[in-house]
Amino acid sequence: RDAITQILTKVRKELKSVGCNRAILVGHNAAFDHGFLIAAIERADIKRNPFHPFSSFDTSSLAGLVFGQT
C-alpha cells in the first residue's frame, strides 16, 4: 500500500501540473500492466485512482504498426 500510494501521489501531482484529469499507462503488453496496476490499487483500497479505467498505450502494438512486426 505504501509503495502504490507514493507512486499515485507523484502521478496526481504531475497530472495537476499539466492540467489533466487522468493518466494513461504506457507499457509493453500494457493490458497486463494496466490490469495488474488496477488490481493493486483496488486491493490497497485506494479511492482516488488517477489512471484512466481502460485506456493505455501498448508499445508492442505500436512497434508492430510502425515496423510491420512485433
Side-chain angles (χ1 to χ4, degrees):
R1 179 172 169 79
D2 291 342
I4 294 285
T5 300
Q6 287 179 16
I7 292 167
L8 297 184
T9 299
K10 291 178 182 184
V11 170
R12 284 188 205 102
K13 183 179 177 181
E14 188 63 28
L15 285 172
K16 186 175 182 178
S17 77
V18 295
C20 292
N21 295 321
R22 293 285 185 188
I24 303 289
L25 179 78
V26 178
H28 191 75
N29 192 7
F32 174 81
D33 297 339
H34 190 260
F36 188 86
L37 180 63
I38 298 302
I41 291 168
E42 288 175 1
R43 192 170 40 252
D45 198 31
I46 296 171
K47 303 296 182 202
R48 291 184 35 220
N49 179 359
F51 287 94
H52 194 277
F54 56 83
S55 293
S56 61
F57 289 118
D58 188 328
T59 58
S60 178
S61 296
L62 293 172
L65 179 66
V66 171
F67 297 111
Q69 63 181 6
T70 57

